[in-house]
Structures are given as structure tokens and as C-alpha cells.
Amino acid sequence: MSWSSGDWICNACQNVNFKKREACHRCAYPKYGGPDPSTYTCNNTEALAGDWYCTTLTCGAHNYASRPNCFKCGAFKSAYPSDCAAYQYGSDATIPPGWKSGDWICPRMGCGVHNYASRTECFKCKTPRDFGAAV
């Protein structure tokens, strides 16, 4: 992904938006002003008993109780701790559909996309695979 002058990051969901947008493409939070980002609920849907919200980096999608994994990013219901960074699947873990051993999630806040094991940097934001890792 390439940035252009004027592109902006949403204060509520950390999505990168084009300069021309007056509200976030993902959650509709306004570019300027708006309610407190920490209490803003985007795309609010009615949650029923047993429903759950994905805790993967930047997903937060509402999932029905019957789903074992997130409909949006494929994360399993309890596979990711909420404070995860570059989570990497190993051969002994259950791999979501379309993933292979060694695939990883970008650790940059606001990105969190799935990357193939062969990549050394995120294909979307170019953040290095080991960004923020303990030395």
C-alpha cells in the first residue's frame, strides 16, 4: 500500500483512509471531530446470547455464536489473546482455511493483515515481520 499526502488513520479503528474521505471507510467515524474514539461503536449490530467479538489486532468483527472462527479474518474464537502481536501459526496449531504453516499477521496497529510465510515484510503496509519483537 502506498500512502499519499493527506491520507489519514481513523482515530476509532486505525483504518488507513484516502484523503478524499470525510468519514472512515471501515467504521464511519468522522475525519474531524466526532465522539470519543474510545467509546465509539462502529457498525453496531445487535449481539445475541453467545455471540462474540473477534480479538485479533484490528478486526473486532461481531460473530454469531455458531461460528467457530471469525467470518472476517478467519481467527478462531479463542486462538488469539487480545494483546497479540505478530501471531504466527506453527505446524502444531490448527490453521484457518487458506493459511499455511508459518503465515503471520502484521503487528502494526491498524493493519493486522494475513501475510504468507515467505514474506519478510507486510504486503500492505511494508512493516517488517519482526517489528516490535523482543530482542
Side-chain angles (χ1 to χ4, degrees):
M1 180 183 111
S2 60
W3 284 65
S4 297
S5 177
D7 287 354
W8 56 283
I9 294 178
C10 175
N11 288 330
C13 72
Q14 307 302 310
N15 185 53
V16 177
N17 292 281
F18 294 123
K19 170 181 156 179
K20 67 180 180 181
R21 295 195 186 281
E22 293 301 314
C24 178
H25 180 66
R26 180 188 291 161
C27 73
Y29 189 82
K31 182 176 184 178
Y32 301 109
D36 180 7
S38 64
T39 59
Y40 182 76
T41 54
C42 58
N43 301 325
N44 199 7
T45 59
E46 184 180 344
L48 302 175
D51 287 0
W52 55 282
Y53 290 90
C54 182
T55 57
T56 303
L57 288 176
T58 59
C59 185
H62 170 223
N63 290 279
Y64 299 124
S66 61
R67 291 188 173 275
N69 59 328
C70 179
F71 82 92
K72 186 175 178 183
C73 72
F76 288 98
K77 188 173 182 177
S78 61
Y80 296 112
S82 60
D83 62 346
C84 71
Y87 191 85
Q88 184 174 341
Y89 280 98
S91 58
D92 60 338
T94 305
I95 300 174
W99 285 54
K100 294 188 174 158
S101 180
D103 285 2
W104 54 284
I105 294 175
C106 179
R108 184 182 147 280
M109 185 64 163
C111 186
V113 299
H114 167 231
N115 287 278
Y116 297 126
S118 61
R119 293 191 175 275
T120 57
E121 64 181 22
C122 176
F123 81 91
K124 182 178 178 186
C125 70
K126 307 298 184 217
T127 299
R129 180 180 189 158
D130 58 356
F131 178 78
V135 179

